[in-house]
Amino acid sequence: MTNIFREYLAQNLRKPGSGFFGWYVTKNIFLRRNVVLEKSAVKLCQIESHYNVLEVGFGPGVGLEAACKYVTDTRRCDCNGKIYGIDFSDKMVSLAKSRLAKQIHDGKVCIRKGNVLNLPFNNDTFHRVFHCNCYYFWPDLQAGCRELYRVMRPRARMVTTIRVDSIKEITQKKYLKYGQTSDHVEYMKTLEKVGFKNVSMRNVEDQGQTFQAIFADVDKT
C-alpha cells in the first residue's frame, strides 16, 4: 500500500471527511465492520426507557439508531429517555442527522458537533455512555475520561467496545498515527485514575464475531 494511501486513510479514520477516503472509511469500516460493535455496545448498556444515553464518536449513527429503540415505545408511559450523540466530523454529523431525521424530529435524539474534551452537557446528565473504537483518537485521554465522568450520573455505566487484535494490527501499519494511545490497558488505568470504579474487560461473542467490551461504573457520593 502506498504511503499516500496510508496517509489519507489514517487522516479519515480519525476524522472522516467528504472525499473518497471518507467514503471508504464510512462504507467499509463504520457501516460494515463496526456495526456489530455498535449494536453490541448498545445491548451491553442495558438501556431502560427513561435513561439519557450518550454516544461519543457516533459515526454515521448506527449506534444511536439502535439505542433509540430502547427509549421509543408508545406502549409505555415512562418512555421519556433520550439519546444524545457527539462527534467532531461534519460529515458524520450530516450522515447521522439524515439517518435519524424522524427520531430527531420526534425529540428522541439530539446530535451535536463537538469534542469529548469539552462536552456541552451539565454534570450528572447520563445514565449510560458508550463508544466504539475511538478513545485512541482523543487529544488528551485523561481529560476526555474526566469529562465523561463529569456528565455521568451516580450509578451510571460506560461501555467501550473494541477489537484488541485489530487495533494492534492497524497501529503497526501506521493507520493510527493521528491517535494518542491504542493501549487498552492504559485506557482502563486512566478510567480508574479519574474516578471510575469496577473497570473491567471481557470477551464478547455476537453474530459470529469475537471482540472486547470494557465496562466502567460511576460511584459518585
Side-chain angles (χ1 to χ4, degrees):
M1 184 176 293
T2 64
N3 290 334
I4 190 66
F5 186 94
R6 184 180 290 110
E7 171 66 20
Y8 282 125
L9 191 58
Q11 291 177 10
N12 281 271
L13 280 171
R14 174 180 176 269
K15 187 177 184 180
S18 299
F20 168 80
F21 288 94
W23 168 85
Y24 180 89
V25 166
T26 301
K27 179 178 176 60
N28 292 286
I29 298 178
F30 297 157
L31 292 176
R32 185 173 297 168
R33 186 165 173 76
N34 277 3
V35 168
V36 173
L37 292 183
E38 289 277 357
K39 293 184 176 181
S40 292
V42 171
K43 287 188 287 187
L44 292 168
C45 279
Q46 299 181 317
I47 298 169
E48 296 187 18
S49 58
H50 63 282
Y51 280 3
N52 289 326
V53 181
L54 171 67
E55 180 177 13
V56 177
F58 52 72
V62 173
L64 296 176
E65 186 176 41
C68 191
K69 296 176 181 178
Y70 289 86
V71 298
T72 307
D73 187 345
T74 57
R75 298 169 298 177
R76 300 189 57 162
C77 61
D78 64 341
C79 206
N80 57 355
K82 190 168 182 176
I83 310 301
Y84 295 78
I86 189 159
D87 198 299
F88 79 149
S89 164
D90 289 317
K91 181 62 176 179
M92 294 301 100
V93 169
S94 176
L95 288 177
K97 284 185 175 180
S98 178
R99 174 186 287 271
L100 295 159
K102 182 181 185 303
Q103 294 91 328
I104 293 170
H105 178 269
D106 293 342
K108 302 305 293 183
V109 173
C110 175
I111 289 175
R112 304 280 292 272
K113 179 185 176 183
N115 193 303
V116 69
L117 303 186
N118 186 24
L119 296 172
F121 306 110
N122 293 331
N123 295 352
D124 304 337
T125 296
F126 298 105
H127 300 82
R128 293 289 186 269
V129 172
F130 69 98
H131 52 94
C132 309
N133 281 334
C134 74
Y135 71 82
Y136 37 78
F137 288 126
W138 300 348
D140 184 324
L141 183 60
Q142 184 166 326
C145 291
R146 188 182 298 114
E147 264 292 88
L148 290 170
Y149 186 87
R150 177 185 69 79
V151 301
M152 293 174 69
R153 298 166 60 95
R155 295 179 297 280
R157 167 165 283 192
M158 181 162 67
V159 176
T160 307
T161 49
I162 57 174
R163 289 188 178 92
V164 171
D165 289 343
S166 293
I167 291 174
K168 289 180 180 178
E169 180 181 353
I170 62 176
T171 298
Q172 292 173 352
K173 293 181 177 180
K174 309 297 183 183
Y175 293 140
L176 296 185
K177 62 183 292 185
Y178 293 107
Q180 298 301 310
T181 177
S182 58
D183 185 355
H184 65 279
V185 175
E186 182 177 347
Y187 169 61
M188 295 171 71
K189 289 180 178 179
T190 303
L191 290 174
E192 293 176 334
K193 185 181 298 184
V194 304
F196 284 95
K197 306 296 184 183
N198 306 318
V199 178
S200 64
M201 184 176 78
R202 74 168 189 251
N203 290 332
V204 178
E205 292 187 8
D206 196 352
Q207 299 183 39
Q209 299 186 35
T210 300
F211 50 93
Q212 289 71 42
I214 296 172
F215 301 87
D217 296 331
V218 172
D219 184 22
K220 296 177 181 177
T221 56

